[in-house]
Amino acid sequence: MNQPAAGSQKERPVSRSKLLTALSNEIRIDVLVNLARAQKCVKDIAAELQLERSTVSHALLRLQAVKLVDHERVLKRHIYHLTDSVKPLFDGNAVHLEVKTNTVTVSLTAPIG
């Protein structure tokens, strides 16, 4: 059987259903909005959103799985940030994400900062 060489496989795009599932949770949306302000570690996100660290970690894992969030390791900490594909959604002064049956609407209504 022919197998591609290691590292030559293309990454599969994230399915729309997985992306919408990731965005269907209020906590994950709050984490995205929080990261739109600045890159942060789990501890800082949890403190600002008044959530348990485990809750934030779980949300970040789900957001990473659909390539909305990525991280860099700095010493012993993981610093999370929005991926380039998500940043344009947060370039304005505000963002509002509304999911309706069969459609997704993004409009600028709720203040970020």
Side-chain angles (χ1 to χ4, degrees):
M1 290 182 6
N2 292 337
Q3 292 185 357
S8 68
Q9 292 183 18
K10 290 184 179 181
E11 279 189 35
R12 288 185 173 174
V14 175
S15 74
R16 286 181 277 182
S17 63
K18 287 183 181 181
L19 179 62
L20 291 174
T21 299
L23 293 172
S24 68
N25 179 281
E26 194 73 31
I27 291 172
R28 291 191 288 266
I29 296 290
D30 289 345
V31 169
L32 283 174
V33 170
N34 191 276
L35 286 175
R37 295 184 189 114
Q39 55 186 9
K40 300 172 187 165
C41 65
V42 171
K43 177 183 172 185
D44 293 342
I45 298 167
E48 289 180 26
L49 296 178
Q50 299 178 353
L51 296 169
E52 296 292 325
R53 288 185 198 176
S54 60
T55 302
V56 172
S57 291
H58 182 74
L60 287 165
L61 285 174
R62 294 288 301 265
L63 293 169
Q64 276 187 290
V66 293
K67 299 175 178 71
L68 296 175
V69 170
D70 202 358
H71 74 279
E72 305 292 326
R73 188 175 172 101
V74 178
L75 299 174
K76 293 184 177 185
R77 287 189 166 177
H78 292 270
I79 306 298
Y80 291 87
H81 58 87
L82 298 179
T83 60
D84 290 339
S85 62
V86 177
K87 287 179 184 176
L89 291 176
F90 296 95
D91 279 346
N93 292 328
V95 146
H96 172 74
L97 182 69
E98 182 179 333
V99 179
K100 295 180 180 178
T101 307
N102 299 327
T103 63
V104 176
T105 305
V106 177
S107 60
L108 302 175
T109 56
I112 289 178

